[in-house]
Each structure stands twice: as structure tokens, then as C-alpha cells.
Amino acid sequence: RSSAASDVYKRQLFTSSLNWMSQRKKLEKSQLRFDSFVEMIIKIVENSNFQILSINFKEALPKFFGFASGGLLFFNSKLNFLYSLEPTVFADGTIATGNVLRYPTNIGLSGRAFTKSMMIVENDPSKNVSYNPEIDNMAGVSIIHNVLIAPLKTSEGDIVGLTQLCNKRGGKLIDEEDTRKFSYLTTLFGNIIKHIDIVTECLDLSAALKSSVLKLENDLTAK
């Protein structure tokens, strides 16, 4: 069953990629090359769990879309909160889990993007009364000139996270071209997160089963 669910999301990732490719000619006018798109996706999903995904996302996505920095929030549907991961990367390349920061789903511009299930753009967020730097500045930059916040949805329409892109390079404003380009990828990224979630659940289940079997063996041996 778990394998079947994983296969479904692999197909969805492929379908989402095809949808992006169908826009290739339009995107070439904006100098977004297909090879750089593939490079970005490989970078994001490579060896990914949630910690690695969070790191790769912050590195690859802003660069590809021409922003200075970015952030990623995950959604816990069981307990209804948003959260970010702040893993620590050591000099030898190993990664520690780090901090997990939780946020309500109804605060800040990010909360509005989540509850209304819509992309939000602010070219001067500090002047918006809804702006909350605690959740709307996941990149941790000192000054946010502009920000794009978008819900990440699966093919079924379920929100699994939010992404933020901060400070468009060259001092430019975020425009309709930016939102149009990024909207093509929200489902792809949503499916990536969902797929990793399924794999994580399978690994957790396998570990739990293994622990139960070992406990049963020990009990039988003791008798």
C-alpha cells in the first residue's frame, strides 16, 4: 500500500514537471532556461528528508527566480500548525535536526496566504499591518524590501506548506511575471513535500514494526 501511494506521487511529480515544460517557450523569453530548471529540481529533491529539503529549497529556489533569499514552512495537518526547520550543517557536511519553530496558521501575511489559499505579494511589507516578521521573514534578512508568499499544494489541492521569496535582485519590484512563473511550480513543490512525507511515514512505520518484532522476540526468548 505504501509503495502504491509512493508511485502515485511520483507520477504526480512527473505530471507537474510536464506542466512546467509546457510553458517553456513563454519562459525562454524571460531567460529562464530549461536546463537550469532541471538543475534546481535535482538540487531540491536530492537525498531529501525534510531537513535537507529545507536547506536545498532556501539555496536553490531564490537563485533560480532571481531573489536574494527565501524560506519554507511546512504544514502539520493533524495538529493544524505551520512550522519551520532550522537544521545545523557542520563543516564535515553532516546535518543536525536543529530547532523546530511552530506558528499558528492565521498570523502574518503567511497566515493570510494559507487561510485564503492564495499567493500574496508585498513590495513594501513593513507598511502592511498584517506583516509579522516572526513568520513572514523566514530567511532572516535584516530588511525586507519585497516578498512573495505562496501556498504549496498537492495535486489533490491540499496545502502542505508555504514558501517565501524575499528581495528581488536588482532592487526591482515583484510583478505579474514573477507570480505567473512561480505559480507554475506550486503544485510540483507541494507534491515533492507530500512524497517526502509519505516516505518519512513509511520509514517511521518500518522502525516501529522492527522495534515491536524485536520486543516480541525478546519476550519469547525470556519465556
Side-chain angles (χ1 to χ4, degrees):
R1 186 177 178 182
S2 301
S3 178
S6 178
D7 289 341
V8 168
Y9 279 99
K10 287 178 181 177
R11 289 195 295 271
Q12 290 175 343
L13 293 180
F14 179 71
T15 301
S16 298
S17 296
L18 288 180
N19 290 338
W20 167 268
M21 285 188 281
S22 70
Q23 303 296 331
R24 181 180 176 183
K25 289 185 179 179
K26 295 180 182 179
L27 293 171
E28 283 176 346
K29 296 178 182 179
S30 306
Q31 297 181 334
L32 284 176
R33 300 186 311 277
F34 179 67
D35 57 347
S36 62
F37 162 70
V38 173
E39 182 182 347
M40 175 192 66
I41 296 301
I42 291 174
K43 170 65 177 175
I44 287 175
V45 302
E46 187 176 26
N47 302 318
S48 277
N49 54 37
F50 279 166
Q51 286 77 23
I52 297 175
L53 178 67
S54 184
I55 294 171
N56 293 345
F57 212 89
K58 292 176 182 178
E59 291 179 355
L61 201 65
K63 179 181 178 181
F64 182 75
F65 282 100
F67 284 75
S69 56
L72 179 64
L73 287 163
F74 300 100
F75 174 56
N76 185 313
S77 58
K78 294 179 181 178
L79 300 177
N80 193 39
F81 63 80
L82 294 165
Y83 66 98
S84 67
L85 300 175
E86 302 296 333
T88 302
V89 182
F90 297 102
D92 61 359
T94 57
I95 299 174
T97 301
N99 296 326
V100 178
L101 305 177
R102 299 186 180 189
Y103 306 94
T105 58
N106 60 351
I107 65 170
L109 297 173
S110 298
R112 188 166 56 152
F114 178 86
T115 56
K116 293 185 177 295
S117 187
M118 62 182 287
M119 188 180 298
I120 288 180
V121 170
E122 284 292 339
N123 279 304
D124 192 357
S126 62
K127 292 184 179 180
N128 189 313
V129 294
S130 297
Y131 174 69
N132 184 331
E134 183 178 355
I135 189 174
D136 295 331
N137 184 9
M138 298 311 303
V141 298
S142 56
I143 300 176
I144 289 188
H145 300 290
N146 46 48
V147 61
L148 182 156
I149 304 173
L152 304 177
K153 304 178 185 179
T154 66
S155 295
E156 294 80 12
D158 300 322
I159 298 178
V160 292
L162 291 170
T163 187
Q164 302 170 0
L165 295 174
C166 302
N167 294 345
K168 188 174 177 180
R169 293 194 181 279
K172 299 177 181 179
L173 299 178
I174 301 173
D175 56 26
E176 290 185 10
E177 182 73 2
D178 296 312
T179 59
R180 182 178 65 83
K181 289 184 295 191
F182 193 74
S183 67
Y184 298 145
L185 288 176
T186 54
T187 301
L188 173 60
F189 292 135
N191 284 332
I192 287 173
I193 291 174
K194 182 62 178 180
H195 176 66
I196 292 175
D197 198 22
I198 289 176
V199 172
T200 302
E201 287 182 2
C202 290
L203 290 175
D204 290 344
L205 178 60
S206 297
L209 288 173
K210 183 177 181 180
S211 175
S212 297
V213 170
L214 289 174
K215 185 176 185 302
L216 179 60
E217 289 179 350
N218 291 334
D219 288 345
L220 292 174
T221 302
K223 293 178 180 179

